[in-house]
Amino acid sequence: MAITRRRFLTNTGAGLAGAGALGSSPISFAMSSTPVDDTINPGEFNYGVASGDPRSDRVILWTHFQPEVLLPVTVEWRVATDEAMTQVVRSGTFRTSDERDYTVKVDADGLTAGTQYFYQFHVQNKYSAVGRTRTAPEGDLAQARFAVVSCSSYAHGYFNVYRALANRNDLDAVLHLGDYIYEYGQNEYDEILLRSKRPLAPSHEITTLSDYRRRHAYYKLDDDLQAVHQRHAFITVWDDHEFANDSNAYGAENHNDGEGDWNDRKAAAKQAYFEWMPIRENSDGSITRTLSYGNLLDLLMLDTRIEGRMLPPSGADKQTEAKDSNRTLLGFEQEAWLHNQLQTSTAQWKILGQQVMIAQRYFINLPDYFGGGASLWLDSWDGYAASRDRLLALIRQQAIQNVVVLTGDVHSSFASDLSDDPYDHDNYNRYTGEGSLAVEFVTPSVTSPGFPPVIAETGAATIMGASPHIKFAELRQHGFILLTVNQQMTQADWYYVPQVLSPSADSFYAKSYRTLSGDNRLRQADSPA
């Protein structure tokens, strides 16, 4: 499915070229334009198309239609086996209105497992772009491949990572591990590192339903984001910035009393997320779910941020508080669900898609009578160590094999063995990996800033030197992980983009780590899978 590029004038309001009638030629995308807020055409599909949460017989299809008159509108959809949309296998209608911000989301069922499909929406003679998607396979599966991304601050640069992924043909889906949008206002987030000139809309910090809707819409005017959605299905979870910085179930660092009630803000952010993202909605408003790719792997998608996370540890005793067994990161209900999924899964690989780093990052190693290691990263599983201890104890006691954790959030790259006590030489061997129970791969950011260059190089060496289980650390580059899963191994290949300050489709290979089936520890690989 070719995606060609052309430049358009943003003041025309055309964020997406019209697809024409069913069976027209492939859509063209602009390569490098900055959308101007509210420059959309009435009577058009301005925000592109997207698909997500593929199962063996169905997939979510998404778009937005802007009517000329703000009344409810019926949007027709079709799924076909060919890009020309002549071999239609499913079709239907969806009624949308201002109550759901004129978004359209269809759970298109009755599809065949492991099959590529094309889809399109139309209202009378107005047609969307033709999107491509793929259902999940069933039964024996030799291999699956995913791109893993997170953390896309619009103001900090162009989404070159998305463009690079839009140009790939070898992906089953894109796993987006959160911070799809950011809530900050213009120049409010890491202004020292903000070298991009990309404006935000709205320009203020978003706090209301209207604000969150407008920010989601503004992101989806981006050409590179539209391109990757058009080409690949997404499997997503939220992190904190879809709500507010360092969120938990009860509040956030970036929320104060002058911004209203936290529960109201959280509900508004959730509603906008479900309206604007191609995610299947759980009846209870959660995002915890399992997606299976044959008998090869189960994707266990978690919420370590909003559903049950307690307040972060604070004060003079925060290191001790972080280890309190009464504290939970997932919430006890979600934690029980995860433990049950791990014990009952019959898939060869159990892959957790989640937000914050699980591997211990103790910068200060103290004797046991001082409480052991002191972590500086208490927004991660380090701040909720009992949750991690219970998870790793389950894996050890039940001898659960082939657990792989995928993580976003930290704007950095990490590859780590997961051990319940990697600092105890009798429990974990840094040279052989003996004592490792699972592995973790952390994806870099799309654009969000990492450490400044002067700190990044020495910081990575410091982390790895002090943490025997962390085999790879890179604290600055933007990029993605290409995750390849087969019956022999799961391998993460890190790719970076040269820069994000101007549009580009370039990326380059950097590093690979893998875990062999039944090994539960990392080995460096010499080349991409």
Side-chain angles (χ1 to χ4, degrees):
M1 180 182 178
I3 297 181
T4 57
R5 303 175 191 140
R6 65 179 177 85
R7 187 176 296 274
F8 66 89
L9 300 177
T10 55
N11 60 8
T12 66
L16 181 63
L22 286 167
S24 63
S25 60
I27 194 72
S28 296
F29 279 96
M31 181 59 190
S32 59
S33 58
T34 301
V36 177
D37 188 32
D38 297 328
T39 56
I40 59 171
N41 289 331
E44 297 287 351
F45 295 92
N46 295 281
Y47 300 101
V49 297
S51 68
D53 272 13
R55 298 190 183 273
S56 60
D57 67 337
R58 65 188 61 209
V59 66
I60 296 292
L61 307 178
W62 179 95
T63 194
H64 176 285
F65 182 77
Q66 185 65 43
E68 295 184 14
V69 179
L70 298 184
L71 294 173
V73 60
T74 298
V75 178
E76 298 184 54
W77 59 270
R78 298 184 184 185
V79 178
T81 56
D82 64 318
E83 189 179 354
M85 300 299 296
T86 60
Q87 305 297 317
V88 176
V89 296
R90 295 288 289 159
S91 62
T93 61
F94 187 94
R95 188 77 165 170
T96 188
S97 69
D98 59 351
E99 290 185 0
R100 55 173 300 113
D101 208 20
Y102 288 100
T103 58
V104 175
K105 191 155 67 169
V106 175
D107 200 350
D109 61 3
L111 305 178
T112 302
T115 302
Q116 176 177 272
Y117 288 101
F118 299 88
Y119 61 96
Q120 191 176 39
F121 302 87
H122 71 100
V123 176
Q124 297 179 350
N125 65 340
K126 299 291 186 178
Y127 291 84
S128 75
V130 175
R132 186 185 74 171
T133 193
R134 181 180 295 276
T135 53
E138 291 181 326
D140 294 336
L141 180 63
Q143 178 172 293
R145 177 167 287 166
F146 306 94
V148 188
V149 296
S150 74
C151 303
S152 42
S153 172
Y154 190 98
H156 281 85
Y158 289 89
F159 293 158
N160 296 337
V161 167
Y162 293 150
R163 176 60 63 176
L165 295 177
N167 290 342
R168 298 192 70 102
N169 290 313
D170 59 346
L171 303 179
D172 287 279
V174 175
L175 306 182
H176 200 299
L177 301 181
D179 292 348
Y180 181 96
I181 65 166
Y182 276 71
E183 86 284 8
Y184 291 111
Q186 196 76 51
N187 299 327
E188 289 182 357
Y189 172 41
D190 277 347
E191 189 173 0
I192 294 175
L193 298 175
L194 184 61
R195 295 176 293 158
S196 169
K197 301 299 183 182
R198 298 237 283 177
L200 283 173
S203 59
H204 58 265
E205 180 186 338
I206 56 175
T207 59
T208 66
L209 176 59
S210 175
D211 288 343
Y212 282 104
R213 284 171 164 176
R214 194 175 173 196
R215 185 65 59 83
H216 273 281
Y218 190 67
Y219 265 63
K220 280 195 167 66
L221 284 175
D222 182 88
D223 306 308
D224 299 324
L225 184 54
Q226 284 194 10
V228 72
H229 272 304
Q230 182 182 340
R231 197 173 188 93
H232 303 298
F234 268 52
I235 299 170
T236 71
V237 290
W238 54 50
D239 194 12
D240 53 338
H241 291 290
E242 287 88 351
F243 298 84
N245 184 52
D246 289 352
S247 303
N248 56 72
Y250 309 101
E253 179 276 334
N254 197 28
H255 179 80
N256 57 58
D257 292 340
E259 294 171 325
D261 181 76
W262 169 245
N263 287 326
D264 291 342
R265 182 176 183 178
K266 185 169 63 172
K270 272 191 177 185
Q271 180 176 336
Y273 186 89
F274 284 132
E275 289 171 347
W276 282 87
M277 295 296 290
I279 182 174
R280 189 172 283 103
E281 299 176 27
N282 293 339
S283 59
D284 61 356
S286 69
I287 57 171
T288 304
R289 62 208 191 276
T290 299
L291 296 101
S292 298
Y293 277 71
N295 56 19
L296 182 64
L297 68 96
D298 281 344
L299 281 170
L300 310 178
M301 307 303 291
L302 304 179
D303 180 356
T304 63
R305 182 59 70 179
I306 294 297
E307 182 171 335
R309 174 192 281 245
M310 292 182 170
L311 294 170
S314 60
D317 294 329
K318 62 183 178 182
Q319 299 294 336
T320 301
E321 182 185 352
K323 300 176 176 65
D324 186 344
S325 61
N326 294 313
R327 290 174 49 75
T328 173
L329 181 66
L330 297 166
F332 292 110
E333 183 177 349
Q334 185 185 192
E335 185 174 314
W337 175 89
L338 172 60
H339 289 193
N340 180 66
Q341 292 291 302
L342 288 172
Q343 292 180 84
T344 59
S345 173
T346 58
Q348 181 176 358
W349 297 93
K350 278 68 70 176
I351 299 180
L352 281 57
Q354 55 102 52
Q355 295 82 355
V356 295
M357 195 164 171
I358 189 169
Q360 300 92 334
R361 288 174 295 174
Y362 294 157
F363 278 75
I364 308 171
N365 293 315
L366 300 174
D368 288 341
Y369 54 81
F370 282 129
S375 174
L376 302 180
W377 304 75
L378 297 181
D379 184 55
S380 68
W381 288 70
D382 274 0
Y384 305 81
S387 294
R388 178 176 58 212
D389 291 344
R390 290 189 291 266
L391 174 61
L392 294 178
L394 174 78
I395 294 173
R396 180 189 290 277
Q397 293 164 8
Q398 300 295 319
I400 299 172
Q401 302 295 304
N402 299 333
V403 176
V404 175
V405 179
L406 304 177
T407 300
D409 182 65
V410 291
H411 314 170
S412 308
S413 304
F414 288 93
S416 306
D417 284 337
L418 295 180
S419 168
D420 39 15
D421 188 356
Y423 302 99
D424 181 349
H425 301 300
D426 295 328
N427 187 66
Y428 174 78
N429 188 316
R430 74 180 304 162
Y431 302 105
T432 67
E434 184 179 359
S436 179
L437 302 170
V439 302
E440 180 178 30
F441 301 127
V442 179
T443 188
S445 72
V446 173
T447 55
S448 303
F451 287 81
V454 67
I455 298 175
E457 188 170 337
T458 57
T462 299
I463 291 171
M464 288 187 286
S467 304
H469 56 301
I470 297 179
K471 308 303 181 183
F472 170 53
E474 202 291 325
L475 306 181
R476 179 170 173 260
Q477 301 277 4
H478 307 291
F480 58 93
I481 286 176
L482 193 65
L483 188 79
T484 302
V485 186
N486 60 38
Q487 295 173 3
Q488 292 73 44
M489 58 87 183
T490 292
Q491 178 164 320
D493 302 323
W494 279 264
Y495 286 82
Y496 299 128
V497 295
Q499 48 81 29
V500 296
L501 295 182
S502 61
S504 169
D506 295 336
S507 64
F508 62 91
Y509 165 74
K511 188 77 70 173
S512 294
Y513 278 86
R514 66 174 55 164
T515 178
L516 302 180
S517 182
D519 210 18
N520 305 314
R521 68 192 70 176
L522 290 176
R523 302 172 186 265
Q524 187 170 355
D526 295 329
S527 60

